[in-house]
């Protein structure tokens, strides 16, 4: 399979203002009667990106994808693919292909016929199409299954047929709707890496829709988090996880402990926040543009807190609580700590020792502390 | 002892005696078919082997006890031979099959777009349309066929409209022609074609059509490559529901057809009621059944074979 697209020279094209986006979505809105599924979305996606649209069900991510494929017509706004406005281009003339959530394999056709379908529609000679199909089936490790019908395949095999079928025409843009949704956890993890390998070897631009934040994290170059029809944050996986811009994003991606508090000291290079509810003072080691007494939120991930029996010496960045529940997960343990206010704080601890004689157990009084750079201050 | 333990104990007793609840479930349709289909058929088959006599009932008994205590069994195959002798019967069978075939094809061509539309439209409109399809069943079949006489006859609705608009100056003769028979049959049996097609098409996953379009197929190609092949079971079911009863159809050709409309149902009726030749009429019925059963069996076998190969 030859690579038809120029190799990406820049690993992070979105940081380069001179780079031309491959897909340009501007002010895109889709309304179904009174319901706004996609609300004024603008988004640039670059060549060879593996872009994830992440959001809960009904957030509009699938509608956005379907507009890219041409199955839905936008109410307003523009979609440009490779410089071409595709508003009036029907699905069968678009340079995109889609891998469906249900795979949508044709049940009356064998695996090879399914995969060859796109090529036959373009009027390719049978022998040439056959070669391409065999090559593609080898790529997705399905050689030997060519004559089977879809209902004779396992879920994972079907998923790979769907992938092969959507890649066979070497689309400029591949749209994947929850590509791994129907697979079990183990197969999912394997397939994620397979998907990345295939994407890199073919150099196709991928847009993946998913509700699974772990999947989005492992797969993507960038993630767009969606909520009620809008994109609330776009960024690399690490940015989204470590520097969420809103409580929604912080809460949606991974788990987070949220402290609501008021600014008590606003200096140039630090902020002090008092959280009345949890009765704790928070010191943040960088300046935040805020005013004194302003209400804001402090978000901190469970793995960025330390659990101990001894009260820390400093006056801030710790809370006291009682162990409410412990969940042993193998690689780590999750502790649910109940504060005197009744709030529950989650903290994880890596299980470094195989046998932990001195483990913290239920109903013990413990202290949770954190570094002054461990959390994020959120305004909204 | 409460009711549950009572039932449990009864079930245990029944199980021990080799009884299975499953056989009870199968027993109901089995006995239904046995009593209302198999026994009447056996009676008809028996009559077809007897001789017509002027008596009551008008056929000879199949077996008799002679005076010296011998059981005499007399089978008259002549009735069947007669069916081949007289070309009337062969041509009646043939024309019935022809009428049934063309009616099925016409009904399919009309029903398919209707079923497709009903399956693809919004749920609210779908229920209304399905209601409209089923609604005619609430009036008598006979009345509906009579209504067609009013529409098709020489001074009927169609001719009146055509002449008042000035398209024709003389009425077009439609009644008592094969055309009227086709109109009546297709009209009457259309729901039997639409409903199985609808149940098939409504199950068709729309994402398959989207996938086809996505891979570069225009709507027409998608229809012939995806929709049509996947609706074959619906087409077969609908066609059987139309083809089989139309072969034996009597009322529609009798009311709308003319003297040259030859259908086996009409021949059968004449044989029974005009000629009072019950044995020949029974033979006609038996042959008709055999002619129908054989293709159905073949079709079922073919379907099972293809279903077996697919799974």
């Amino acid at each position: 399979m030859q690579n038809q697209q120029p190799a990406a020279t820049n690993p992070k094209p979105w940081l380069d203002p001179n780079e031309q986006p491959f897909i340009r979505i501007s002010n895109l809105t889709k309304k179904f009667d009174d319901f706004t599924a996609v609300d004024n979305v603008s988004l640039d996606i670059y060549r060879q990106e593996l872009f994830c649209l992440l959001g809960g069900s009904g957030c509009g991510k699938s509608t956005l994808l379907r507009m890219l494929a041409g199955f839905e017509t936008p109410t307003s706004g523009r979609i440009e693919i490779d410089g071409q406005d595709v508003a009036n281009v029907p699905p069968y003339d678009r340079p995109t292909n889609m891998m469906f959530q249900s795979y949508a394999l044709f049940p009356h056709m064998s695996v090879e016929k399914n995969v060859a379908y796109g090529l036959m529609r373009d009027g390719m000679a049978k022998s040439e199409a056959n070669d391409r199909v065999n090559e593609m089936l080898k790529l997705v490790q399905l050689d030997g299954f060519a004559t089977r019908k879809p209902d004779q395949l396992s879920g994972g095999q079907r998923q790979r047929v769907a992938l092969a079928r959507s890649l066979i025409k070497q689309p400029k843009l591949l749209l994947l709707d929850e590509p791994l949704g129907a697979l079990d956890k183990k197969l999912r993890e394997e397939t994620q890496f397979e998907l990345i390998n295939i994407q890199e070897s073919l150099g196709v631009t991928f847009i993946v829709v998913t509700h699974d934040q772990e999947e989005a994290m492992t797969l993507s170059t960038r993630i767009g988090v969606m909520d009620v029809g809008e994109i609330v944050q776009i960024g690399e996986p690490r940015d989204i996880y470590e520097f969420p811009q809103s409580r929604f994003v912080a809460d949606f991606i991974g788990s987070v402990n949220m402290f609501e508090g008021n600014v008590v000291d606003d200096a140039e290079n630090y902020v002090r926040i008092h959280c009345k509810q949890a009765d704790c003072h928070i010191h943040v080691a960088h300046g935040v543009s805020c005013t004194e007494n302003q209400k804001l939120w402090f978000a901190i991930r469970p793995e960025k807190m330390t659990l101990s029996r001894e009260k820390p010496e400093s006056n801030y960045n710790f809370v006291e609580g009682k162990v409410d529940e412990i969940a042993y997960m193998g690689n780590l343990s999750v502790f649910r700590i109940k504060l005197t206010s009744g709030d529950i704080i989650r903290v994880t601890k890596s299980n470094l020792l195989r046998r932990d004689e001195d483990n913290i157990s239920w109903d013990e009084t413990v202290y949770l502390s954190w570094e002054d750079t461990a959390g994020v201050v959120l305004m909204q | 002892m409460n009711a549950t333990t009572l039932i449990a104990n009864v079930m245990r007793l029944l199980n021990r005696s080799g009884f299975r609840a499953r056989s009870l479930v199968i027993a109901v349709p089995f006995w239904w078919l046995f009593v209302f289909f198999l026994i009447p058929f056996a009676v008809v088959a028996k009559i077809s082997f007897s001789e017509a006599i002027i008596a009551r009932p008008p056929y000879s008994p199949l077996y008799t006890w002679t005076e010296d205590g011998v059981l005499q069994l007399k089978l008259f195959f002549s009735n069947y031979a007669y069916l081949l002798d007289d070309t009337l019967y062969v041509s009646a069978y043939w024309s019935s099959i022809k009428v049934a075939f063309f009616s099925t094809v016409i009904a399919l061509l009309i029903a398919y777009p209707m079923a497709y539309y009903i399956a693809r439209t919004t749920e609210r409109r779908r229920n209304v349309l399905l209601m409209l399809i089923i609604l005619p069943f609430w009036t008598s079949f006979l009345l509906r066929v009579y209504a067609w006489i009013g529409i098709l006859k020489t001074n009927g609705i169609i001719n009146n409209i055509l002449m008042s608009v000035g398209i024709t100056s003389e009425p077009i003769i439609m009644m008592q022609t094969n055309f009227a028979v086709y109109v009546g049959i297709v009209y009457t049996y259309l729901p039997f074609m639409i409903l199985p097609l609808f149940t098939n098409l409504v199950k068709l996953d729309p994402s398959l059509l989207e996938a086809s379009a996505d891979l570069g197929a225009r709507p027409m190609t998608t229809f012939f490559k995806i929709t049509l092949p996947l609706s074959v079971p619906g087409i077969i079911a609908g066609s059987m529901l139309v083809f089989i009863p139309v072969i034996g159809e009597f009322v529609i050709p009798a009311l709308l057809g003319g003297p040259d409309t030859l259908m086996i149902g009409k021949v059968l009726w004449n044989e029974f009621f005009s000629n009072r030749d019950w044995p020949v009429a029974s033979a006609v019925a038996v042959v008709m059944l055999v002619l129908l059963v054989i293709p159905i069996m073949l079709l079922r076998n073919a379907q099972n074979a293809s279903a077996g190969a697919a799974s």
Side-chain angles (χ1 to χ4, degrees), chain B residues 153-165:
Chain B
K153 67 184 175 188
T154 317
N155 58 347
I157 296 173
I158 292 181
N159 276 321
N160 279 341
I161 291 174
L162 287 181
M163 289 198 300
S164 68
V165 174

Side-chain angles (χ1 to χ4, degrees), chain A residues 358-374:
Chain A
D358 187 35
N359 53 357
I360 291 169
S361 107
W362 281 271
D363 286 335
E364 275 191 71
T365 300
V366 287
Y367 296 90
L368 294 169
S369 57
W370 57 89
E371 297 289 307
D372 50 14
T373 52

Side-chain angles (χ1 to χ4, degrees), chain A residues 42-295:
Chain A
S42 294
L43 179 64
D44 286 343
I45 294 169
Y46 296 85
R47 214 175 272 280
Q48 299 198 16
E49 262 206 86
L50 205 164
F51 192 94
C52 268
L53 284 167
L54 178 63
S57 60
C59 72
K61 56 188 193 300
S62 289
T63 310
L64 184 53
L65 197 75
R66 290 171 59 77
M67 281 194 278
L68 283 164
F71 301 138
E72 306 282 357
T73 27
T75 311
S76 64
R78 267 172 80 87
I79 302 173
E80 273 175 43
I81 299 174
D82 207 7
Q84 183 200 6
D85 184 357
V86 293
N88 296 315
V89 182
Y92 47 84
D93 282 336
R94 289 201 185 194
T96 61
N97 279 129
M98 178 147 160
M99 185 179 150
F100 289 79
Q101 183 175 11
S102 60
Y103 305 149
L105 299 179
F106 306 131
H108 57 302
M109 294 183 192
S110 63
V111 167
E112 56 185 349
K113 287 234 173 79
N114 262 287
V115 177
Y117 191 84
L119 298 178
M120 302 317 282
R121 299 291 78 74
D122 287 356
M124 184 182 275
K126 218 167 188 166
S127 60
E128 195 188 343
N130 258 342
D131 293 345
R132 287 270 288 274
V133 168
N134 289 335
E135 212 174 324
M136 185 52 82
L137 287 180
K138 211 170 279 169
L139 183 75
V140 297
Q141 296 162 28
L142 276 175
D143 32 352
F145 291 89
T147 55
R148 297 243 192 135
K149 287 272 178 72
D151 60 358
Q152 294 168 293
L153 300 175
S154 71
Q157 289 164 339
R158 265 181 240 178
Q159 187 255 0
R160 281 179 283 161
V161 177
L163 183 64
R165 189 180 69 177
S166 57
L167 280 170
I168 193 93
K169 290 179 78 174
Q170 304 180 341
K172 288 179 182 173
L173 171 62
L174 185 67
L175 308 165
L176 301 98
D177 192 359
E178 305 268 0
L180 309 175
L183 303 183
D184 59 61
K185 197 172 186 305
K186 197 112 194 169
L187 201 55
R188 236 177 137 101
E189 277 171 16
E190 277 172 38
T191 322
Q192 279 173 2
F193 291 108
E194 248 175 71
L195 212 56
I196 296 174
N197 284 338
I198 289 173
Q199 194 260 346
E200 282 173 356
S201 67
L202 297 183
V204 179
T205 307
F206 276 31
I207 298 181
V208 179
V209 152
T210 180
H211 69 276
D212 183 336
Q213 42 119 349
E214 214 174 296
E215 191 171 306
M217 289 281 175
T218 31
L219 284 178
S220 46
T221 53
R222 285 191 304 157
I223 295 174
V225 183
M226 285 190 80
D227 185 30
V228 287
E230 292 177 68
I231 293 202
V232 286
Q233 188 172 351
I234 301 172
E236 291 167 48
R238 178 174 282 269
D239 291 341
I240 299 271
Y241 188 76
E242 304 290 1
F243 303 97
Q245 286 164 0
S246 64
R247 282 187 294 152
F248 173 81
V249 175
D251 205 35
F252 188 76
I253 315 285
S255 61
V256 75
N257 298 304
M258 201 73 72
F259 294 93
E260 186 184 318
N262 293 82
V263 180
V264 288
D265 192 356
D266 175 24
E268 197 159 315
N269 55 355
Y270 72 89
V271 196
R272 288 264 173 92
I273 301 161
H274 179 233
C275 173
K276 213 182 257 172
Q277 175 94 2
D279 189 27
C280 89
H281 293 270
I282 298 163
H283 176 92
V284 181
H286 58 81
V288 175
S289 55
C290 59
T291 55
E292 216 139 297
N293 223 10
Q294 185 191 340
K295 183 171 125 181

Side-chain angles (χ1 to χ4, degrees), chain A residues 343-355:
Chain A
D343 289 338
I344 299 281
I345 301 288
R346 283 165 59 97
V347 57
T348 57
K349 192 166 158 258
S350 294
N351 293 322
L352 300 173
L353 302 172
R354 291 180 64 202
R355 218 184 272 279

Side-chain angles (χ1 to χ4, degrees), chain B residues 239-289:
Chain B
S239 300
M240 299 251 265
L241 285 180
V242 174
F243 185 82
I244 293 165
V246 170
I247 283 196
E249 183 57 56
F250 159 70
V251 174
I252 297 170
L255 289 179
L256 301 178
D260 51 336
T261 307
L262 194 59
M263 282 189 75
I264 202 70
K266 229 167 116 185
V267 171
L268 190 73
W269 195 90
N270 281 337
E271 217 58 71
F272 252 111
F273 296 99
S274 307
N275 289 355
R276 282 186 65 80
D277 190 342
W278 287 25
V280 168
S282 300
V284 170
V286 169
V287 170
M288 189 165 89
L289 192 92

